[in-house]
Amino acid sequence: QVQLVESGGGLVQAGGSLRLSCAASGRTSMRITMGWFRQTPGKEREFVAGISWSGGSTYYADSLKGRFTISRVNAQNTMYLQMNSLKPEDTAVYYCAASTSAIVMAEYFVYWGQGTQVTVSS
């Protein structure tokens, strides 16, 4: 089992930045792929970004490339999402997720955090 706890969400003005963190605990000795997803009311959960166990491979939703950066520090069992040039449409609950598969696809993520709210005001 892997437990995930997100932090860093909040209210920011359009054009601003936020950095989300995800702390992992439990069986962190496993080589876990990690990712960020987001969801707004009435919509399905949306893939934001993913990162391989080593951090050497990163993946982004096409619409977010250039504004969001995913990273991880395995020694601290922590993953980050740096979000720049935020837009009101980025408002959502952001979820941290983990997978024991090397495949970065939503259906392979089986461990989820509780989510952190990000609100971008116009």
Side-chain angles (χ1 to χ4, degrees):
Q1 291 285 346
V2 176
Q3 292 79 44
L4 303 170
V5 178
E6 303 96 335
S7 61
L11 174 64
V12 64
Q13 289 188 333
S17 299
L18 278 177
R19 188 177 80 157
L20 304 182
S21 300
C22 174
S25 61
R27 295 186 63 187
T28 55
S29 60
M30 295 188 299
R31 294 192 173 193
I32 55 174
T33 299
M34 300 188 76
W36 290 97
F37 293 77
R38 67 185 185 184
Q39 189 170 25
T40 54
K43 294 186 177 181
E44 292 189 358
R45 196 167 292 186
E46 173 190 22
F47 172 75
V48 173
I51 187 167
S52 63
W53 175 82
S54 68
S57 297
T58 56
Y59 310 86
Y60 296 93
D62 288 341
S63 62
L64 301 176
K65 286 180 181 177
R67 294 195 299 123
F68 289 14
T69 302
I70 190 172
S71 62
R72 66 191 294 171
V73 179
N74 286 342
Q76 299 174 356
N77 295 322
T78 303
M79 175 180 66
Y80 302 96
L81 183 69
Q82 178 67 42
M83 304 185 294
N84 298 328
S85 302
L86 283 163
K87 305 175 181 180
E89 51 263 43
D90 293 319
T91 295
V93 177
Y94 284 70
Y95 296 91
C96 168
S99 165
T100 56
S101 170
I103 301 173
V104 182
M105 294 181 67
E107 55 264 42
Y108 288 87
F109 286 91
V110 295
Y111 302 106
W112 295 87
Q114 81 288 352
T116 185
Q117 177 70 46
V118 171
T119 302
V120 184
S121 63
S122 57

